Amino acid sequence: MMASANGLATAHTKEPLFSFGVIADVQYADIPDGHSFLGVPRFYRHSILVLQRAVNQWNDHKKLKFSINFGDIVDGFCPKDKSLASVQKVLHEFEKFNGPIYHMIGNHCLYNLPRSKLISLFKMPSSDGHAYYDFSPTPEYRIIVLDAYDFSALGWPQDHPIASAAMKFLQEKNPNADKNSPNGLVGVARRYLMFNGAIGKEQLDWLESILQESEKSKQNVIICCHLPLNPEAAAPEALLWNYEEVMAVVHRHNCVKVCFAGHDHKGGYAIDSRGVHHRVLEAALECPPGSNAFGHVDVYHDRLSLIGSDRMASTEMIFNS
Ligand SMILES: Nc1ccn([C@@H]2O[C@H](COP(=O)(O)O)[C@@H](O)[C@H]2O)c(=O)n1
Ligand SMILES: O=P(O)(O)OC[C@H](O)CO
């Protein structure tokens, strides 16, 4: 709390260093409403209206430096002859935002289009065809966007060595005939599902080098990944296969303050044993007509403040050090 001129205590009157918009799991498709495997309603046509309202609010805010889309812009039930047009339709809505949009690849994106096509449609600022990248919006901060499907059975041609290795890995971890079924798997082992994936060795090395650089430059780091990295913040079925390996890299350094994710549509929040905040964002797809799930993040030296609309909970994330 701070003392104000009229003597009343007011919280956080300082201007943020910068602010950015967030939205997750739009999963648009021009198909009737449905539900998840577990019976949660999904509103495939309405979700693009949520995105439109997000972009309007982001533009009205006037001071957002950029926005981040946490993946799954089109649903896997989208008829495959409509995949490209549907992805383009959603991207067209994002393009109405008065600033850059940073995208990431989700499993539903990969049910629709190959990763190479998505990387070019999303205009990812990565070199040599990777779907992971980083950028620094102000000297004090760096944002890292991870590719959760780098090592995955999705999105690579079926005869690609990564697809074969990922299928072999899943065979070893999940004995079910349906590799999307967690039946019989216990606790966090329920994450070994085909709709999840992992950060490959090269990407892990890249993450390590970026975190070393950030630490040297005294930058705070925000990690964004379609798949959650913390079991307290998400259902075990939603976790990145090698979340422990990624968090071991993160915890070797002191610079990562917050990890954001999508994928687990109900959303979640936890602070891990090392003080890193994990915020899983509520999905646009599961907003009943007229409701919303998007927000913006105000970034300060010592904290992040997520201001959510409606179904997206607001969260104050104060750093340890
Ligand atoms: N508990 C579960 C959850 C999912 N599955 C399988 O995954 C597919 C996709 O699930 P959604 O939640 O996105 O609908 C679903 O069709 C099932 O094959 C499962 O087996 N058990
Ligand atoms: O977005 P989906 O359809 O892959 O669903 C993901 C699950 O909610 C993860 O538990």
Side-chain angles (χ1 to χ4, degrees), residues 27 35-40 42 44 75 77 107-108 111 176 178-183 190 193-195 237 263 265 285-286:
Q27 281 178 235
H35 48 77
S36 74
F37 183 77
L38 297 174
V40 179
R42 291 181 167 183
Y44 301 104
D75 193 86
F77 284 134
N107 49 314
H108 283 267
Y111 303 146
N176 295 310
D178 174 1
K179 295 293 179 225
N180 270 336
S181 168
N183 275 351
R190 292 174 72 79
L193 303 171
M194 195 153 160
F195 59 57
E237 294 84 357
H263 192 56
H265 296 180
L285 174 66
E286 288 177 7

PDB file of all heavy atoms in Angstrom, residues 27 35-40 42 44 75 77 107-108 111 176 178-183 190 193-195 237 263 265 285-286, ligand 1:
ATOM      1  N   GLN A  27     -10.100 -22.128 -30.131  1.00  0.00           N
ATOM      2  CA  GLN A  27     -10.644 -23.376 -30.707  1.00  0.00           C
ATOM      3  C   GLN A  27     -11.918 -23.155 -31.520  1.00  0.00           C
ATOM      4  O   GLN A  27     -12.910 -23.883 -31.392  1.00  0.00           O
ATOM      5  CB  GLN A  27     -10.838 -24.433 -29.605  1.00  0.00           C
ATOM      6  CG  GLN A  27      -9.507 -25.087 -29.247  1.00  0.00           C
ATOM      7  CD  GLN A  27      -9.566 -26.120 -28.147  1.00  0.00           C
ATOM      8  OE1 GLN A  27      -8.843 -26.000 -27.158  1.00  0.00           O
ATOM      9  NE2 GLN A  27     -10.386 -27.150 -28.299  1.00  0.00           N
ATOM     10  N   HIS A  35     -19.173 -30.667 -26.535  1.00  0.00           N
ATOM     11  CA  HIS A  35     -18.605 -30.758 -25.177  1.00  0.00           C
ATOM     12  C   HIS A  35     -17.311 -31.554 -25.246  1.00  0.00           C
ATOM     13  O   HIS A  35     -17.046 -32.269 -26.212  1.00  0.00           O
ATOM     14  CB  HIS A  35     -19.605 -31.413 -24.221  1.00  0.00           C
ATOM     15  CG  HIS A  35     -20.209 -32.660 -24.768  1.00  0.00           C
ATOM     16  ND1 HIS A  35     -19.547 -33.852 -24.795  1.00  0.00           N
ATOM     17  CD2 HIS A  35     -21.418 -32.871 -25.357  1.00  0.00           C
ATOM     18  CE1 HIS A  35     -20.316 -34.750 -25.365  1.00  0.00           C
ATOM     19  NE2 HIS A  35     -21.449 -34.201 -25.717  1.00  0.00           N
ATOM     20  N   SER A  36     -16.536 -31.436 -24.173  1.00  0.00           N
ATOM     21  CA  SER A  36     -15.276 -32.189 -24.094  1.00  0.00           C
ATOM     22  C   SER A  36     -15.600 -33.645 -23.803  1.00  0.00           C
ATOM     23  O   SER A  36     -16.743 -33.998 -23.500  1.00  0.00           O
ATOM     24  CB  SER A  36     -14.398 -31.626 -22.975  1.00  0.00           C
ATOM     25  OG  SER A  36     -14.930 -32.014 -21.723  1.00  0.00           O
ATOM     26  N   PHE A  37     -14.578 -34.497 -23.817  1.00  0.00           N
ATOM     27  CA  PHE A  37     -14.724 -35.918 -23.504  1.00  0.00           C
ATOM     28  C   PHE A  37     -15.384 -36.097 -22.126  1.00  0.00           C
ATOM     29  O   PHE A  37     -16.151 -37.015 -21.908  1.00  0.00           O
ATOM     30  CB  PHE A  37     -13.340 -36.568 -23.519  1.00  0.00           C
ATOM     31  CG  PHE A  37     -13.364 -38.045 -23.278  1.00  0.00           C
ATOM     32  CD1 PHE A  37     -13.747 -38.931 -24.276  1.00  0.00           C
ATOM     33  CD2 PHE A  37     -12.992 -38.565 -22.042  1.00  0.00           C
ATOM     34  CE1 PHE A  37     -13.762 -40.299 -24.048  1.00  0.00           C
ATOM     35  CE2 PHE A  37     -13.005 -39.926 -21.800  1.00  0.00           C
ATOM     36  CZ  PHE A  37     -13.388 -40.803 -22.814  1.00  0.00           C
ATOM     37  N   LEU A  38     -15.086 -35.166 -21.217  1.00  0.00           N
ATOM     38  CA  LEU A  38     -15.629 -35.271 -19.857  1.00  0.00           C
ATOM     39  C   LEU A  38     -16.957 -34.528 -19.703  1.00  0.00           C
ATOM     40  O   LEU A  38     -17.477 -34.411 -18.591  1.00  0.00           O
ATOM     41  CB  LEU A  38     -14.604 -34.751 -18.829  1.00  0.00           C
ATOM     42  CG  LEU A  38     -13.296 -35.557 -18.768  1.00  0.00           C
ATOM     43  CD1 LEU A  38     -12.289 -34.888 -17.822  1.00  0.00           C
ATOM     44  CD2 LEU A  38     -13.550 -37.002 -18.314  1.00  0.00           C
ATOM     45  N   GLY A  39     -17.498 -34.015 -20.801  1.00  0.00           N
ATOM     46  CA  GLY A  39     -18.838 -33.422 -20.777  1.00  0.00           C
ATOM     47  C   GLY A  39     -18.890 -31.920 -20.538  1.00  0.00           C
ATOM     48  O   GLY A  39     -19.977 -31.366 -20.352  1.00  0.00           O
ATOM     49  N   VAL A  40     -17.748 -31.238 -20.555  1.00  0.00           N
ATOM     50  CA  VAL A  40     -17.762 -29.772 -20.354  1.00  0.00           C
ATOM     51  C   VAL A  40     -18.196 -29.106 -21.675  1.00  0.00           C
ATOM     52  O   VAL A  40     -17.621 -29.391 -22.733  1.00  0.00           O
ATOM     53  CB  VAL A  40     -16.368 -29.253 -19.927  1.00  0.00           C
ATOM     54  CG1 VAL A  40     -16.390 -27.739 -19.741  1.00  0.00           C
ATOM     55  CG2 VAL A  40     -15.899 -29.951 -18.658  1.00  0.00           C
ATOM     56  N   ARG A  42     -18.644 -26.879 -24.924  1.00  0.00           N
ATOM     57  CA  ARG A  42     -17.706 -26.130 -25.772  1.00  0.00           C
ATOM     58  C   ARG A  42     -18.522 -25.379 -26.827  1.00  0.00           C
ATOM     59  O   ARG A  42     -19.389 -25.978 -27.463  1.00  0.00           O
ATOM     60  CB  ARG A  42     -16.697 -27.092 -26.431  1.00  0.00           C
ATOM     61  CG  ARG A  42     -15.741 -27.688 -25.410  1.00  0.00           C
ATOM     62  CD  ARG A  42     -14.706 -28.629 -26.005  1.00  0.00           C
ATOM     63  NE  ARG A  42     -13.670 -28.894 -25.008  1.00  0.00           N
ATOM     64  CZ  ARG A  42     -12.589 -29.631 -25.217  1.00  0.00           C
ATOM     65  NH1 ARG A  42     -12.378 -30.203 -26.394  1.00  0.00           N
ATOM     66  NH2 ARG A  42     -11.697 -29.803 -24.258  1.00  0.00           N
ATOM     67  N   TYR A  44     -18.134 -23.634 -30.070  1.00  0.00           N
ATOM     68  CA  TYR A  44     -17.159 -23.483 -31.165  1.00  0.00           C
ATOM     69  C   TYR A  44     -17.353 -22.231 -32.004  1.00  0.00           C
ATOM     70  O   TYR A  44     -16.401 -21.690 -32.545  1.00  0.00           O
ATOM     71  CB  TYR A  44     -17.217 -24.709 -32.085  1.00  0.00           C
ATOM     72  CG  TYR A  44     -16.925 -25.999 -31.370  1.00  0.00           C
ATOM     73  CD1 TYR A  44     -17.950 -26.887 -31.041  1.00  0.00           C
ATOM     74  CD2 TYR A  44     -15.623 -26.327 -30.998  1.00  0.00           C
ATOM     75  CE1 TYR A  44     -17.683 -28.070 -30.370  1.00  0.00           C
ATOM     76  CE2 TYR A  44     -15.347 -27.505 -30.323  1.00  0.00           C
ATOM     77  CZ  TYR A  44     -16.385 -28.372 -30.014  1.00  0.00           C
ATOM     78  OH  TYR A  44     -16.119 -29.532 -29.344  1.00  0.00           O
ATOM     79  N   ASP A  75     -10.372 -25.566 -33.656  1.00  0.00           N
ATOM     80  CA  ASP A  75     -10.601 -26.862 -33.015  1.00  0.00           C
ATOM     81  C   ASP A  75     -10.339 -28.033 -33.978  1.00  0.00           C
ATOM     82  O   ASP A  75     -10.512 -27.916 -35.193  1.00  0.00           O
ATOM     83  CB  ASP A  75     -12.047 -26.939 -32.517  1.00  0.00           C
ATOM     84  CG  ASP A  75     -12.234 -28.111 -31.575  1.00  0.00           C
ATOM     85  OD1 ASP A  75     -11.965 -27.930 -30.364  1.00  0.00           O
ATOM     86  OD2 ASP A  75     -12.590 -29.215 -32.035  1.00  0.00           O
ATOM     87  N   PHE A  77     -12.181 -30.497 -34.418  1.00  0.00           N
ATOM     88  CA  PHE A  77     -13.416 -30.926 -35.114  1.00  0.00           C
ATOM     89  C   PHE A  77     -13.716 -30.076 -36.343  1.00  0.00           C
ATOM     90  O   PHE A  77     -14.683 -30.342 -37.052  1.00  0.00           O
ATOM     91  CB  PHE A  77     -14.616 -30.883 -34.165  1.00  0.00           C
ATOM     92  CG  PHE A  77     -14.649 -32.029 -33.182  1.00  0.00           C
ATOM     93  CD1 PHE A  77     -14.902 -31.789 -31.838  1.00  0.00           C
ATOM     94  CD2 PHE A  77     -14.435 -33.333 -33.590  1.00  0.00           C
ATOM     95  CE1 PHE A  77     -14.930 -32.835 -30.918  1.00  0.00           C
ATOM     96  CE2 PHE A  77     -14.454 -34.389 -32.681  1.00  0.00           C
ATOM     97  CZ  PHE A  77     -14.709 -34.143 -31.338  1.00  0.00           C
ATOM     98  N   ASN A 107      -2.068 -28.276 -29.675  1.00  0.00           N
ATOM     99  CA  ASN A 107      -2.403 -29.563 -30.307  1.00  0.00           C
ATOM    100  C   ASN A 107      -3.501 -29.419 -31.353  1.00  0.00           C
ATOM    101  O   ASN A 107      -3.441 -30.016 -32.430  1.00  0.00           O
ATOM    102  CB  ASN A 107      -2.797 -30.604 -29.247  1.00  0.00           C
ATOM    103  CG  ASN A 107      -3.826 -30.110 -28.243  1.00  0.00           C
ATOM    104  OD1 ASN A 107      -3.701 -29.005 -27.718  1.00  0.00           O
ATOM    105  ND2 ASN A 107      -4.835 -30.915 -27.952  1.00  0.00           N
ATOM    106  N   HIS A 108      -4.514 -28.565 -31.080  1.00  0.00           N
ATOM    107  CA  HIS A 108      -5.616 -28.430 -32.049  1.00  0.00           C
ATOM    108  C   HIS A 108      -5.154 -27.749 -33.332  1.00  0.00           C
ATOM    109  O   HIS A 108      -5.688 -28.049 -34.404  1.00  0.00           O
ATOM    110  CB  HIS A 108      -6.800 -27.686 -31.420  1.00  0.00           C
ATOM    111  CG  HIS A 108      -7.589 -28.562 -30.498  1.00  0.00           C
ATOM    112  ND1 HIS A 108      -8.699 -29.280 -30.906  1.00  0.00           N
ATOM    113  CD2 HIS A 108      -7.396 -28.874 -29.200  1.00  0.00           C
ATOM    114  CE1 HIS A 108      -9.171 -29.971 -29.879  1.00  0.00           C
ATOM    115  NE2 HIS A 108      -8.395 -29.750 -28.827  1.00  0.00           N
ATOM    116  N   TYR A 111      -3.875 -30.543 -35.373  1.00  0.00           N
ATOM    117  CA  TYR A 111      -4.872 -31.445 -35.977  1.00  0.00           C
ATOM    118  C   TYR A 111      -5.332 -30.882 -37.315  1.00  0.00           C
ATOM    119  O   TYR A 111      -5.888 -31.594 -38.143  1.00  0.00           O
ATOM    120  CB  TYR A 111      -6.115 -31.602 -35.089  1.00  0.00           C
ATOM    121  CG  TYR A 111      -5.865 -32.111 -33.677  1.00  0.00           C
ATOM    122  CD1 TYR A 111      -6.648 -31.678 -32.607  1.00  0.00           C
ATOM    123  CD2 TYR A 111      -4.849 -33.029 -33.413  1.00  0.00           C
ATOM    124  CE1 TYR A 111      -6.425 -32.133 -31.320  1.00  0.00           C
ATOM    125  CE2 TYR A 111      -4.626 -33.478 -32.118  1.00  0.00           C
ATOM    126  CZ  TYR A 111      -5.409 -33.028 -31.078  1.00  0.00           C
ATOM    127  OH  TYR A 111      -5.188 -33.468 -29.799  1.00  0.00           O
ATOM    128  N   ASN A 176      -2.383 -47.910 -23.053  1.00  0.00           N
ATOM    129  CA  ASN A 176      -3.733 -47.913 -23.638  1.00  0.00           C
ATOM    130  C   ASN A 176      -3.679 -47.893 -25.165  1.00  0.00           C
ATOM    131  O   ASN A 176      -2.805 -47.265 -25.751  1.00  0.00           O
ATOM    132  CB  ASN A 176      -4.528 -46.697 -23.140  1.00  0.00           C
ATOM    133  CG  ASN A 176      -4.770 -46.768 -21.641  1.00  0.00           C
ATOM    134  OD1 ASN A 176      -5.224 -47.801 -21.139  1.00  0.00           O
ATOM    135  ND2 ASN A 176      -4.450 -45.695 -20.928  1.00  0.00           N
ATOM    136  N   ASP A 178      -5.880 -46.420 -27.042  1.00  0.00           N
ATOM    137  CA  ASP A 178      -6.123 -45.012 -27.359  1.00  0.00           C
ATOM    138  C   ASP A 178      -5.086 -44.192 -26.587  1.00  0.00           C
ATOM    139  O   ASP A 178      -5.156 -44.077 -25.358  1.00  0.00           O
ATOM    140  CB  ASP A 178      -7.549 -44.626 -26.934  1.00  0.00           C
ATOM    141  CG  ASP A 178      -7.832 -43.135 -27.100  1.00  0.00           C
ATOM    142  OD1 ASP A 178      -6.930 -42.397 -27.567  1.00  0.00           O
ATOM    143  OD2 ASP A 178      -8.946 -42.707 -26.751  1.00  0.00           O
ATOM    144  N   LYS A 179      -4.127 -43.661 -27.319  1.00  0.00           N
ATOM    145  CA  LYS A 179      -3.019 -42.954 -26.646  1.00  0.00           C
ATOM    146  C   LYS A 179      -3.459 -41.596 -26.076  1.00  0.00           C
ATOM    147  O   LYS A 179      -2.656 -40.889 -25.467  1.00  0.00           O
ATOM    148  CB  LYS A 179      -1.827 -42.765 -27.600  1.00  0.00           C
ATOM    149  CG  LYS A 179      -1.197 -44.085 -28.014  1.00  0.00           C
ATOM    150  CD  LYS A 179      -0.513 -44.778 -26.834  1.00  0.00           C
ATOM    151  CE  LYS A 179       0.097 -46.109 -27.233  1.00  0.00           C
ATOM    152  NZ  LYS A 179      -0.187 -47.197 -26.267  1.00  0.00           N
ATOM    153  N   ASN A 180      -4.731 -41.238 -26.268  1.00  0.00           N
ATOM    154  CA  ASN A 180      -5.257 -40.057 -25.582  1.00  0.00           C
ATOM    155  C   ASN A 180      -5.951 -40.442 -24.283  1.00  0.00           C
ATOM    156  O   ASN A 180      -6.467 -39.575 -23.572  1.00  0.00           O
ATOM    157  CB  ASN A 180      -6.252 -39.304 -26.472  1.00  0.00           C
ATOM    158  CG  ASN A 180      -5.561 -38.250 -27.328  1.00  0.00           C
ATOM    159  OD1 ASN A 180      -4.484 -37.783 -26.975  1.00  0.00           O
ATOM    160  ND2 ASN A 180      -6.170 -37.907 -28.442  1.00  0.00           N
ATOM    161  N   SER A 181      -6.005 -41.735 -23.991  1.00  0.00           N
ATOM    162  CA  SER A 181      -6.698 -42.167 -22.774  1.00  0.00           C
ATOM    163  C   SER A 181      -5.716 -42.321 -21.609  1.00  0.00           C
ATOM    164  O   SER A 181      -4.742 -43.066 -21.700  1.00  0.00           O
ATOM    165  CB  SER A 181      -7.406 -43.496 -23.027  1.00  0.00           C
ATOM    166  OG  SER A 181      -7.832 -44.019 -21.776  1.00  0.00           O
ATOM    167  N   PRO A 182      -6.016 -41.646 -20.473  1.00  0.00           N
ATOM    168  CA  PRO A 182      -5.148 -41.784 -19.287  1.00  0.00           C
ATOM    169  C   PRO A 182      -5.578 -42.950 -18.390  1.00  0.00           C
ATOM    170  O   PRO A 182      -5.047 -43.090 -17.287  1.00  0.00           O
ATOM    171  CB  PRO A 182      -5.362 -40.447 -18.571  1.00  0.00           C
ATOM    172  CG  PRO A 182      -6.759 -40.033 -18.935  1.00  0.00           C
ATOM    173  CD  PRO A 182      -7.076 -40.634 -20.273  1.00  0.00           C
ATOM    174  N   ASN A 183      -6.507 -43.797 -18.849  1.00  0.00           N
ATOM    175  CA  ASN A 183      -7.012 -44.904 -18.010  1.00  0.00           C
ATOM    176  C   ASN A 183      -5.872 -45.729 -17.434  1.00  0.00           C
ATOM    177  O   ASN A 183      -4.968 -46.150 -18.167  1.00  0.00           O
ATOM    178  CB  ASN A 183      -7.912 -45.853 -18.832  1.00  0.00           C
ATOM    179  CG  ASN A 183      -9.330 -45.327 -18.867  1.00  0.00           C
ATOM    180  OD1 ASN A 183      -9.645 -44.374 -18.144  1.00  0.00           O
ATOM    181  ND2 ASN A 183     -10.157 -45.923 -19.711  1.00  0.00           N
ATOM    182  N   ARG A 190      -0.393 -39.400 -15.711  1.00  0.00           N
ATOM    183  CA  ARG A 190      -1.562 -39.256 -16.594  1.00  0.00           C
ATOM    184  C   ARG A 190      -1.309 -38.240 -17.722  1.00  0.00           C
ATOM    185  O   ARG A 190      -2.148 -38.046 -18.592  1.00  0.00           O
ATOM    186  CB  ARG A 190      -2.801 -38.853 -15.776  1.00  0.00           C
ATOM    187  CG  ARG A 190      -3.262 -39.975 -14.850  1.00  0.00           C
ATOM    188  CD  ARG A 190      -4.383 -39.533 -13.933  1.00  0.00           C
ATOM    189  NE  ARG A 190      -5.669 -39.353 -14.586  1.00  0.00           N
ATOM    190  CZ  ARG A 190      -6.503 -40.316 -14.915  1.00  0.00           C
ATOM    191  NH1 ARG A 190      -6.198 -41.584 -14.669  1.00  0.00           N
ATOM    192  NH2 ARG A 190      -7.649 -40.052 -15.503  1.00  0.00           N
ATOM    193  N   LEU A 193      -0.034 -38.549 -22.799  1.00  0.00           N
ATOM    194  CA  LEU A 193      -1.140 -38.630 -23.754  1.00  0.00           C
ATOM    195  C   LEU A 193      -0.695 -38.034 -25.077  1.00  0.00           C
ATOM    196  O   LEU A 193       0.161 -37.145 -25.108  1.00  0.00           O
ATOM    197  CB  LEU A 193      -2.340 -37.843 -23.207  1.00  0.00           C
ATOM    198  CG  LEU A 193      -2.838 -38.290 -21.821  1.00  0.00           C
ATOM    199  CD1 LEU A 193      -3.879 -37.326 -21.284  1.00  0.00           C
ATOM    200  CD2 LEU A 193      -3.403 -39.719 -21.892  1.00  0.00           C
ATOM    201  N   MET A 194      -1.346 -38.520 -26.149  1.00  0.00           N
ATOM    202  CA  MET A 194      -0.925 -38.067 -27.481  1.00  0.00           C
ATOM    203  C   MET A 194      -1.207 -36.574 -27.683  1.00  0.00           C
ATOM    204  O   MET A 194      -0.534 -35.923 -28.480  1.00  0.00           O
ATOM    205  CB  MET A 194      -1.639 -38.886 -28.532  1.00  0.00           C
ATOM    206  CG  MET A 194      -1.041 -38.775 -29.891  1.00  0.00           C
ATOM    207  SD  MET A 194      -1.411 -40.259 -30.794  1.00  0.00           S
ATOM    208  CE  MET A 194      -1.165 -39.682 -32.440  1.00  0.00           C
ATOM    209  N   PHE A 195      -2.206 -36.017 -26.949  1.00  0.00           N
ATOM    210  CA  PHE A 195      -2.483 -34.592 -27.164  1.00  0.00           C
ATOM    211  C   PHE A 195      -1.511 -33.673 -26.421  1.00  0.00           C
ATOM    212  O   PHE A 195      -1.646 -32.453 -26.476  1.00  0.00           O
ATOM    213  CB  PHE A 195      -3.954 -34.222 -26.922  1.00  0.00           C
ATOM    214  CG  PHE A 195      -4.563 -34.480 -25.559  1.00  0.00           C
ATOM    215  CD1 PHE A 195      -4.022 -33.947 -24.408  1.00  0.00           C
ATOM    216  CD2 PHE A 195      -5.732 -35.235 -25.458  1.00  0.00           C
ATOM    217  CE1 PHE A 195      -4.612 -34.145 -23.170  1.00  0.00           C
ATOM    218  CE2 PHE A 195      -6.338 -35.459 -24.219  1.00  0.00           C
ATOM    219  CZ  PHE A 195      -5.778 -34.906 -23.068  1.00  0.00           C
ATOM    220  N   GLU A 237      -3.433 -34.502 -16.564  1.00  0.00           N
ATOM    221  CA  GLU A 237      -3.619 -34.861 -17.987  1.00  0.00           C
ATOM    222  C   GLU A 237      -3.199 -33.736 -18.933  1.00  0.00           C
ATOM    223  O   GLU A 237      -3.123 -33.951 -20.143  1.00  0.00           O
ATOM    224  CB  GLU A 237      -5.096 -35.186 -18.277  1.00  0.00           C
ATOM    225  CG  GLU A 237      -5.630 -36.424 -17.593  1.00  0.00           C
ATOM    226  CD  GLU A 237      -6.102 -36.164 -16.164  1.00  0.00           C
ATOM    227  OE1 GLU A 237      -5.958 -35.006 -15.682  1.00  0.00           O
ATOM    228  OE2 GLU A 237      -6.592 -37.119 -15.523  1.00  0.00           O
ATOM    229  N   HIS A 263      -4.374 -24.621 -22.536  1.00  0.00           N
ATOM    230  CA  HIS A 263      -4.635 -26.067 -22.668  1.00  0.00           C
ATOM    231  C   HIS A 263      -5.573 -26.651 -21.619  1.00  0.00           C
ATOM    232  O   HIS A 263      -6.449 -27.437 -21.965  1.00  0.00           O
ATOM    233  CB  HIS A 263      -3.296 -26.825 -22.650  1.00  0.00           C
ATOM    234  CG  HIS A 263      -3.389 -28.269 -23.060  1.00  0.00           C
ATOM    235  ND1 HIS A 263      -3.924 -28.670 -24.263  1.00  0.00           N
ATOM    236  CD2 HIS A 263      -2.992 -29.418 -22.432  1.00  0.00           C
ATOM    237  CE1 HIS A 263      -3.842 -30.000 -24.368  1.00  0.00           C
ATOM    238  NE2 HIS A 263      -3.299 -30.474 -23.271  1.00  0.00           N
ATOM    239  N   HIS A 265      -8.491 -26.045 -19.809  1.00  0.00           N
ATOM    240  CA  HIS A 265      -9.461 -24.973 -20.055  1.00  0.00           C
ATOM    241  C   HIS A 265     -10.045 -24.320 -18.807  1.00  0.00           C
ATOM    242  O   HIS A 265     -10.488 -23.181 -18.848  1.00  0.00           O
ATOM    243  CB  HIS A 265     -10.608 -25.506 -20.924  1.00  0.00           C
ATOM    244  CG  HIS A 265     -10.148 -25.921 -22.284  1.00  0.00           C
ATOM    245  ND1 HIS A 265     -10.989 -26.435 -23.242  1.00  0.00           N
ATOM    246  CD2 HIS A 265      -8.904 -25.894 -22.861  1.00  0.00           C
ATOM    247  CE1 HIS A 265     -10.302 -26.709 -24.341  1.00  0.00           C
ATOM    248  NE2 HIS A 265      -9.034 -26.392 -24.130  1.00  0.00           N
ATOM    249  N   LEU A 285     -12.948 -20.880 -25.522  1.00  0.00           N
ATOM    250  CA  LEU A 285     -13.893 -21.865 -26.074  1.00  0.00           C
ATOM    251  C   LEU A 285     -15.018 -22.213 -25.102  1.00  0.00           C
ATOM    252  O   LEU A 285     -16.125 -22.532 -25.517  1.00  0.00           O
ATOM    253  CB  LEU A 285     -13.124 -23.149 -26.424  1.00  0.00           C
ATOM    254  CG  LEU A 285     -13.952 -24.341 -26.884  1.00  0.00           C
ATOM    255  CD1 LEU A 285     -14.617 -24.060 -28.228  1.00  0.00           C
ATOM    256  CD2 LEU A 285     -13.101 -25.604 -26.984  1.00  0.00           C
ATOM    257  N   GLU A 286     -14.744 -22.182 -23.828  1.00  0.00           N
ATOM    258  CA  GLU A 286     -15.738 -22.667 -22.861  1.00  0.00           C
ATOM    259  C   GLU A 286     -16.593 -21.549 -22.269  1.00  0.00           C
ATOM    260  O   GLU A 286     -17.284 -21.747 -21.268  1.00  0.00           O
ATOM    261  CB  GLU A 286     -15.046 -23.528 -21.791  1.00  0.00           C
ATOM    262  CG  GLU A 286     -14.637 -24.855 -22.417  1.00  0.00           C
ATOM    263  CD  GLU A 286     -13.869 -25.802 -21.513  1.00  0.00           C
ATOM    264  OE1 GLU A 286     -13.735 -25.517 -20.316  1.00  0.00           O
ATOM    265  OE2 GLU A 286     -13.400 -26.822 -22.046  1.00  0.00           O
TER     266      GLU A 286
HETATM  267  N1  LIG B   1     -10.175 -38.305 -19.417  1.00  0.00           N
HETATM  268  C1  LIG B   1     -10.018 -38.396 -20.752  1.00  0.00           C
HETATM  269  C2  LIG B   1      -9.853 -37.243 -21.529  1.00  0.00           C
HETATM  270  C3  LIG B   1      -9.680 -37.393 -22.876  1.00  0.00           C
HETATM  271  N2  LIG B   1      -9.664 -38.638 -23.428  1.00  0.00           N
HETATM  272  C4  LIG B   1      -9.438 -38.770 -24.865  1.00  0.00           C
HETATM  273  O1  LIG B   1      -8.903 -37.548 -25.412  1.00  0.00           O
HETATM  274  C5  LIG B   1      -9.706 -37.065 -26.467  1.00  0.00           C
HETATM  275  C6  LIG B   1      -9.743 -35.565 -26.425  1.00  0.00           C
HETATM  276  O2  LIG B   1     -10.296 -35.152 -25.193  1.00  0.00           O
HETATM  277  P1  LIG B   1     -11.105 -33.774 -25.004  1.00  0.00           P
HETATM  278  O3  LIG B   1     -11.103 -33.489 -23.531  1.00  0.00           O
HETATM  279  O4  LIG B   1     -10.357 -32.734 -25.773  1.00  0.00           O
HETATM  280  O5  LIG B   1     -12.476 -33.978 -25.543  1.00  0.00           O
HETATM  281  C7  LIG B   1     -11.060 -37.751 -26.275  1.00  0.00           C
HETATM  282  O6  LIG B   1     -11.761 -37.904 -27.473  1.00  0.00           O
HETATM  283  C8  LIG B   1     -10.643 -39.100 -25.705  1.00  0.00           C
HETATM  284  O7  LIG B   1     -10.218 -39.969 -26.737  1.00  0.00           O
HETATM  285  C9  LIG B   1      -9.826 -39.737 -22.643  1.00  0.00           C
HETATM  286  O8  LIG B   1      -9.815 -40.868 -23.144  1.00  0.00           O
HETATM  287  N3  LIG B   1     -10.010 -39.614 -21.297  1.00  0.00           N
END
